[in-house]
Amino acid sequence: MRSKIVAGNWKMNNDANASKTLANELVAGLKDKSLQNTRVVVAPTFVNLTAVHEVVSGSVVEVAAQNMHQAKSGAFTGEISAEMLTSIGLKSVILGHSERREYFGETDALLAEKVTAALANGLEVIFCFGELLEDRKSENHFAVVESQISNALFSLDAGAWKQLVLAYEPVWAIGTGETATADQAQEMHAFIRKIVADKYDAALAEEVSILYGGSCKPGNAKEIFSKEDVDGGLIGGAALQAADFIAIIEAIQ
Ligand code: PEP
């Protein structure tokens, strides 16, 4: 059975103290909850990964990085490699977030390299993709999502998919307060599962967790998560308050 996952992307928020405080609040708030087949992941900034990892150690909370470089090491000032992430005990990395694509020029081709490097180092990849508003308005959203997935992931062999989590994040819904309706999310998630099944096979597609991201909040999470192909959420703004993030986790139970 595929896992349900609620992942919080803290983006460039929270200094060292705020990161540890939020991590402690999550550990305390989740301590007595029995989560059914649900993983909880948080992605702090690079400089706070180790501290947060220490705080959550022994709890249900896992830690992921928000990005990584595709090379093993070398003259890439300011960058972090997959090996560096695994060397501090990390098991997951988010790749392909729309902010990386938009502000840092990350292309499908570059993301394919990053995914390959992450998987080769044993990291799980939470792979983000999603259409722009103009794509949806021009009814191009399925084609855009299909090309993002196929360009970055369809050269992988079937075995690699065990280390992949997909995150559908319509760009028009990220940080805007505008959410895809639960039906729009379900429609796209079912489409994604179908193209993965067509490329690989139905059993593999059934096992892939597909998260929804885009202004997911305590008030709308339950409805979105009730859809059969929505396996959880990648949460931005609402992941910065422990109470909201925990309420979203509770919404998937
Ligand atoms: C995100 O950036 O991944 C995201 C979903 O952000 P928000 O929840 O703030 O829309």
Side-chain angles (χ1 to χ4, degrees):
M1 189 176 35
R2 57 185 184 254
S3 309
K4 295 175 183 174
I5 303 172
V6 180
N9 175 9
W10 294 359
K11 307 191 183 184
M12 198 174 74
N13 292 298
N14 293 334
D15 65 11
N17 277 334
S19 296
K20 283 186 273 187
T21 301
L22 179 53
N24 269 310
E25 288 170 354
L26 292 175
V27 170
L30 293 169
K31 186 163 54 82
D32 298 323
K33 305 212 185 295
S34 76
L35 304 179
Q36 304 299 322
N37 184 35
T38 303
R39 292 172 53 199
V40 177
V41 181
V42 295
T45 56
F46 282 130
V47 289
N48 293 310
L49 284 169
T50 300
V52 169
H53 198 229
E54 275 168 22
V55 171
V56 303
S57 142
S59 80
V60 294
V61 182
E62 304 169 36
V63 181
Q66 298 175 17
N67 180 34
M68 50 156 260
H69 194 272
Q70 64 278 17
K72 206 174 154 63
S73 60
F76 300 103
T77 301
E79 293 293 331
I80 306 281
S81 70
E83 282 181 349
M84 290 167 189
L85 298 179
T86 58
S87 75
I88 57 164
L90 258 60
K91 298 199 165 50
S92 309
V93 61
I94 297 172
L95 292 175
H97 192 279
S98 64
E99 288 150 16
R100 299 294 318 170
R101 293 174 189 261
E102 183 181 352
Y103 306 134
F104 303 97
E106 296 199 0
T107 59
D108 290 346
L110 174 67
L111 290 167
E113 284 185 54
K114 289 193 176 200
V115 169
T116 301
L119 298 179
N121 281 279
L123 287 166
E124 169 189 71
V125 173
I126 302 174
F127 184 75
C128 308
F129 52 87
E131 81 280 3
L132 303 173
L133 184 57
E134 63 246 40
D135 301 322
R136 187 158 275 267
K137 282 190 171 154
S138 59
E139 299 187 0
N140 227 10
H141 45 298
F142 293 114
V144 167
V145 163
E146 181 164 10
S147 74
Q148 289 172 325
I149 293 175
S150 66
N151 291 343
L153 305 179
F154 278 0
S155 56
L156 297 170
D157 61 32
W161 279 72
K162 290 193 177 63
Q163 286 166 257
L164 282 181
V165 172
L166 304 182
Y168 168 56
E169 300 206 297
V171 178
W172 48 272
I174 294 180
T176 58
E178 181 102 18
T179 319
T181 64
D183 286 341
Q184 285 173 321
Q186 169 58 26
E187 182 185 37
M188 183 58 87
H189 285 219
F191 170 78
I192 293 162
R193 219 178 285 288
K194 182 179 178 316
I195 60 171
V196 174
D198 289 347
K199 170 70 189 171
Y200 295 90
D201 62 62
L204 182 151
E206 272 305 303
E207 284 306 304
V208 179
S209 298
I210 309 178
L211 315 185
Y212 168 79
S215 299
C216 189
K217 308 220 172 321
N220 59 22
K222 205 168 187 69
E223 199 194 345
I224 295 170
F225 295 163
S226 71
K227 296 295 179 184
E228 73 172 290
D229 287 299
V230 179
D231 304 310
L234 181 54
I235 318 298
L240 297 175
Q241 299 296 331
D244 286 351
F245 193 55
I246 291 169
I248 292 172
I249 296 162
E250 285 173 334
I252 207 166
Q253 298 309 297

